């Protein structure tokens, strides 16, 4: 595990060196002049708004699937794992199309870590989708907002030390939602 961690650290340093070299050059527009800060701010606002809208629309539609009674018997949809598999299949196809259209990033992806992360995320989504059969999406979001507390408690129990700022961030996020 230590060897893998040191290899990851070496790759991260190499990427930061590459990025640092390109980041030191001033950004330019097609005409060669300095790029507009307002244009970057507008792109950021558009991206944030798009992400917020997409996730909100997805959440509303997903909750409708699980909360609405379907068919002549008025049964609720119960095949949450099927929905998850279809979502992942669509994500895979879109990712493959993106790689085909725009090329790969050139970054060496650590497959094992991605696999572990993907499986844990899929299980988290499966349990979250299952929960939507019993509670509203808003209730689910409230529960998720508090998940940093047990994660931090587990980290402290495992001997990890957190700066005071992280404790305050967890407190603000948990109380803020």
């Amino acid at each position: 595990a230590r060897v893998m961690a040191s290899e990851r650290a070496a790759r991260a340093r190499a990427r930061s060196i590459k990025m640092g070299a390109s980041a030191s050059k001033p950004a330019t527009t097609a005409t060669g002049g300095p790029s507009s800060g307002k244009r970057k701010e507008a792109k950021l606002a558009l991206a944030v708004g798009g992400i917020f809208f997409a996730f909100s629309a997805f959440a509303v539609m997903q909750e409708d699937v699980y909360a609405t009674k379907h068919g002549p018997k008025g049964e609720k949809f119960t095949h949450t794992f099927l929905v998850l598999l279809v979502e992942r299949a669509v994500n895979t196809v879109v990712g493959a199309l993106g790689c085909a259209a725009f090329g790969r990033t050139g970054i060496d992806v650590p497959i094992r870590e991605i696999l572990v992360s993907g499986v844990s995320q899929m299980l988290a989504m499966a349990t979250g989708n299952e929960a939507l059969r019993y509670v509203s999406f808003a209730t689910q979001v409230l529960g998720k907002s508090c998940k940093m507390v047990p994660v931090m408690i587990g980290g402290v129990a495992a001997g990890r030390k957190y700066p005071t700022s992280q404790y305050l961030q967890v407190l603000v996020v948990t109380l803020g939602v």
Side-chain angles (χ1 to χ4, degrees):
R2 287 185 185 183
V3 172
M4 288 176 53
S6 65
E7 288 174 1
R8 283 195 306 263
R11 285 195 301 262
R13 279 192 301 275
R15 282 193 303 272
S16 68
I17 290 169
K18 285 181 185 175
M19 293 175 84
S22 64
S24 64
K25 297 177 187 173
T28 58
T29 61
T31 60
S35 64
S36 168
K38 290 187 181 202
R39 186 179 309 162
K40 286 183 179 180
E41 291 171 2
K43 284 182 178 180
L44 176 62
L46 182 65
V48 168
I51 290 169
F52 182 78
F53 174 77
F55 275 111
S56 297
F58 172 76
V60 168
M61 289 184 277
Q62 188 179 35
E63 184 177 7
D64 284 346
V65 168
Y66 296 115
T68 304
K69 294 183 179 184
H70 304 279
K73 295 181 182 178
E75 298 174 308
K76 287 189 177 184
F77 186 79
T78 58
H79 304 289
T80 56
F81 198 72
L82 173 65
V83 170
L84 195 59
L85 288 176
V86 170
E87 287 173 0
R88 295 305 171 257
V90 170
N91 289 345
T92 302
V93 168
V94 169
L97 290 173
C99 285
F102 302 108
R104 300 184 62 128
T105 63
I107 296 172
D108 184 28
V109 178
I111 299 296
R112 183 171 182 263
E113 287 86 352
I114 297 292
L115 180 65
V116 170
S117 174
V119 168
S120 65
Q121 195 271 344
M122 188 165 168
L123 292 173
M125 284 292 295
T127 57
N129 289 353
E130 192 65 22
L132 281 176
R133 292 177 50 206
Y134 305 101
V135 298
S136 69
F137 182 76
T139 304
Q140 189 181 32
V141 168
L142 286 173
K144 283 182 177 183
S145 72
C146 300
K147 74 180 174 183
M148 290 186 286
V149 174
V151 168
M152 187 170 265
I153 290 170
V156 170
R160 183 163 183 201
K161 298 198 184 286
Y162 297 99
T164 304
S165 62
Q166 283 191 331
Y167 288 107
L168 291 173
Q169 289 169 2
V170 169
L171 180 67
V172 168
V173 169
T174 302
L175 294 178
V177 175

PDB file of all heavy atoms in Angstrom, residues 42-57:
ATOM      1  N   ALA A  42     -18.319  34.183 -16.248  1.00  0.00           N
ATOM      2  CA  ALA A  42     -19.577  33.801 -16.890  1.00  0.00           C
ATOM      3  C   ALA A  42     -19.614  32.298 -17.155  1.00  0.00           C
ATOM      4  O   ALA A  42     -20.642  31.649 -16.938  1.00  0.00           O
ATOM      5  CB  ALA A  42     -19.760  34.573 -18.195  1.00  0.00           C
ATOM      6  N   LYS A  43     -18.472  31.740 -17.610  1.00  0.00           N
ATOM      7  CA  LYS A  43     -18.406  30.295 -17.839  1.00  0.00           C
ATOM      8  C   LYS A  43     -18.598  29.531 -16.532  1.00  0.00           C
ATOM      9  O   LYS A  43     -19.294  28.524 -16.489  1.00  0.00           O
ATOM     10  CB  LYS A  43     -17.067  29.903 -18.467  1.00  0.00           C
ATOM     11  CG  LYS A  43     -16.952  30.225 -19.934  1.00  0.00           C
ATOM     12  CD  LYS A  43     -15.611  29.741 -20.464  1.00  0.00           C
ATOM     13  CE  LYS A  43     -15.449  29.978 -21.935  1.00  0.00           C
ATOM     14  NZ  LYS A  43     -14.151  29.499 -22.434  1.00  0.00           N
ATOM     15  N   LEU A  44     -17.962  30.035 -15.463  1.00  0.00           N
ATOM     16  CA  LEU A  44     -18.110  29.393 -14.153  1.00  0.00           C
ATOM     17  C   LEU A  44     -19.558  29.446 -13.692  1.00  0.00           C
ATOM     18  O   LEU A  44     -20.109  28.442 -13.236  1.00  0.00           O
ATOM     19  CB  LEU A  44     -17.200  30.055 -13.121  1.00  0.00           C
ATOM     20  CG  LEU A  44     -17.331  29.539 -11.687  1.00  0.00           C
ATOM     21  CD1 LEU A  44     -16.950  28.066 -11.614  1.00  0.00           C
ATOM     22  CD2 LEU A  44     -16.475  30.372 -10.747  1.00  0.00           C
ATOM     23  N   ALA A  45     -20.192  30.601 -13.812  1.00  0.00           N
ATOM     24  CA  ALA A  45     -21.597  30.740 -13.405  1.00  0.00           C
ATOM     25  C   ALA A  45     -22.494  29.809 -14.217  1.00  0.00           C
ATOM     26  O   ALA A  45     -23.399  29.171 -13.664  1.00  0.00           O
ATOM     27  CB  ALA A  45     -22.052  32.191 -13.556  1.00  0.00           C
ATOM     28  N   LEU A  46     -22.231  29.728 -15.524  1.00  0.00           N
ATOM     29  CA  LEU A  46     -23.010  28.841 -16.385  1.00  0.00           C
ATOM     30  C   LEU A  46     -22.807  27.376 -15.981  1.00  0.00           C
ATOM     31  O   LEU A  46     -23.774  26.610 -15.895  1.00  0.00           O
ATOM     32  CB  LEU A  46     -22.634  29.049 -17.852  1.00  0.00           C
ATOM     33  CG  LEU A  46     -23.415  28.202 -18.859  1.00  0.00           C
ATOM     34  CD1 LEU A  46     -24.883  28.597 -18.847  1.00  0.00           C
ATOM     35  CD2 LEU A  46     -22.826  28.380 -20.255  1.00  0.00           C
ATOM     36  N   ALA A  47     -21.563  26.996 -15.706  1.00  0.00           N
ATOM     37  CA  ALA A  47     -21.271  25.614 -15.313  1.00  0.00           C
ATOM     38  C   ALA A  47     -21.933  25.276 -13.975  1.00  0.00           C
ATOM     39  O   ALA A  47     -22.559  24.227 -13.832  1.00  0.00           O
ATOM     40  CB  ALA A  47     -19.763  25.386 -15.226  1.00  0.00           C
ATOM     41  N   VAL A  48     -21.815  26.168 -13.000  1.00  0.00           N
ATOM     42  CA  VAL A  48     -22.419  25.931 -11.684  1.00  0.00           C
ATOM     43  C   VAL A  48     -23.936  25.853 -11.815  1.00  0.00           C
ATOM     44  O   VAL A  48     -24.584  24.962 -11.261  1.00  0.00           O
ATOM     45  CB  VAL A  48     -21.992  27.023 -10.681  1.00  0.00           C
ATOM     46  CG1 VAL A  48     -22.821  26.957  -9.409  1.00  0.00           C
ATOM     47  CG2 VAL A  48     -20.517  26.889 -10.354  1.00  0.00           C
ATOM     48  N   GLY A  49     -24.508  26.780 -12.565  1.00  0.00           N
ATOM     49  CA  GLY A  49     -25.961  26.760 -12.771  1.00  0.00           C
ATOM     50  C   GLY A  49     -26.413  25.492 -13.487  1.00  0.00           C
ATOM     51  O   GLY A  49     -27.438  24.903 -13.128  1.00  0.00           O
ATOM     52  N   GLY A  50     -25.646  25.076 -14.486  1.00  0.00           N
ATOM     53  CA  GLY A  50     -25.990  23.854 -15.218  1.00  0.00           C
ATOM     54  C   GLY A  50     -25.925  22.618 -14.336  1.00  0.00           C
ATOM     55  O   GLY A  50     -26.812  21.762 -14.386  1.00  0.00           O
ATOM     56  N   ILE A  51     -24.886  22.541 -13.519  1.00  0.00           N
ATOM     57  CA  ILE A  51     -24.763  21.401 -12.604  1.00  0.00           C
ATOM     58  C   ILE A  51     -25.916  21.400 -11.610  1.00  0.00           C
ATOM     59  O   ILE A  51     -26.543  20.369 -11.362  1.00  0.00           O
ATOM     60  CB  ILE A  51     -23.406  21.434 -11.883  1.00  0.00           C
ATOM     61  CG1 ILE A  51     -22.277  21.114 -12.868  1.00  0.00           C
ATOM     62  CG2 ILE A  51     -23.374  20.460 -10.702  1.00  0.00           C
ATOM     63  CD1 ILE A  51     -20.887  21.386 -12.318  1.00  0.00           C
ATOM     64  N   PHE A  52     -26.204  22.570 -11.027  1.00  0.00           N
ATOM     65  CA  PHE A  52     -27.288  22.674 -10.051  1.00  0.00           C
ATOM     66  C   PHE A  52     -28.621  22.274 -10.679  1.00  0.00           C
ATOM     67  O   PHE A  52     -29.378  21.488 -10.113  1.00  0.00           O
ATOM     68  CB  PHE A  52     -27.364  24.101  -9.504  1.00  0.00           C
ATOM     69  CG  PHE A  52     -28.409  24.285  -8.454  1.00  0.00           C
ATOM     70  CD1 PHE A  52     -28.189  23.854  -7.159  1.00  0.00           C
ATOM     71  CD2 PHE A  52     -29.616  24.894  -8.766  1.00  0.00           C
ATOM     72  CE1 PHE A  52     -29.164  24.015  -6.180  1.00  0.00           C
ATOM     73  CE2 PHE A  52     -30.594  25.057  -7.805  1.00  0.00           C
ATOM     74  CZ  PHE A  52     -30.367  24.621  -6.505  1.00  0.00           C
ATOM     75  N   PHE A  53     -28.898  22.800 -11.885  1.00  0.00           N
ATOM     76  CA  PHE A  53     -30.148  22.472 -12.566  1.00  0.00           C
ATOM     77  C   PHE A  53     -30.221  20.982 -12.895  1.00  0.00           C
ATOM     78  O   PHE A  53     -31.259  20.334 -12.667  1.00  0.00           O
ATOM     79  CB  PHE A  53     -30.294  23.294 -13.853  1.00  0.00           C
ATOM     80  CG  PHE A  53     -31.491  22.889 -14.666  1.00  0.00           C
ATOM     81  CD1 PHE A  53     -32.765  23.295 -14.297  1.00  0.00           C
ATOM     82  CD2 PHE A  53     -31.339  22.078 -15.778  1.00  0.00           C
ATOM     83  CE1 PHE A  53     -33.877  22.894 -15.030  1.00  0.00           C
ATOM     84  CE2 PHE A  53     -32.438  21.673 -16.513  1.00  0.00           C
ATOM     85  CZ  PHE A  53     -33.717  22.092 -16.147  1.00  0.00           C
ATOM     86  N   ALA A  54     -29.144  20.419 -13.430  1.00  0.00           N
ATOM     87  CA  ALA A  54     -29.152  19.015 -13.834  1.00  0.00           C
ATOM     88  C   ALA A  54     -29.379  18.090 -12.641  1.00  0.00           C
ATOM     89  O   ALA A  54     -30.191  17.166 -12.706  1.00  0.00           O
ATOM     90  CB  ALA A  54     -27.843  18.654 -14.538  1.00  0.00           C
ATOM     91  N   PHE A  55     -28.658  18.337 -11.543  1.00  0.00           N
ATOM     92  CA  PHE A  55     -28.840  17.495 -10.369  1.00  0.00           C
ATOM     93  C   PHE A  55     -30.230  17.669  -9.759  1.00  0.00           C
ATOM     94  O   PHE A  55     -30.837  16.705  -9.291  1.00  0.00           O
ATOM     95  CB  PHE A  55     -27.761  17.769  -9.318  1.00  0.00           C
ATOM     96  CG  PHE A  55     -26.502  16.992  -9.553  1.00  0.00           C
ATOM     97  CD1 PHE A  55     -25.343  17.640  -9.938  1.00  0.00           C
ATOM     98  CD2 PHE A  55     -26.471  15.617  -9.401  1.00  0.00           C
ATOM     99  CE1 PHE A  55     -24.177  16.929 -10.164  1.00  0.00           C
ATOM    100  CE2 PHE A  55     -25.314  14.899  -9.629  1.00  0.00           C
ATOM    101  CZ  PHE A  55     -24.163  15.555 -10.005  1.00  0.00           C
ATOM    102  N   SER A  56     -30.746  18.894  -9.760  1.00  0.00           N
ATOM    103  CA  SER A  56     -32.086  19.125  -9.208  1.00  0.00           C
ATOM    104  C   SER A  56     -33.152  18.430 -10.049  1.00  0.00           C
ATOM    105  O   SER A  56     -34.052  17.779  -9.512  1.00  0.00           O
ATOM    106  CB  SER A  56     -32.378  20.627  -9.126  1.00  0.00           C
ATOM    107  OG  SER A  56     -31.484  21.246  -8.247  1.00  0.00           O
ATOM    108  N   ALA A  57     -33.041  18.564 -11.366  1.00  0.00           N
ATOM    109  CA  ALA A  57     -34.005  17.904 -12.247  1.00  0.00           C
ATOM    110  C   ALA A  57     -33.922  16.389 -12.103  1.00  0.00           C
ATOM    111  O   ALA A  57     -34.951  15.698 -12.026  1.00  0.00           O
ATOM    112  CB  ALA A  57     -33.751  18.316 -13.705  1.00  0.00           C
TER     113      ALA A  57
END
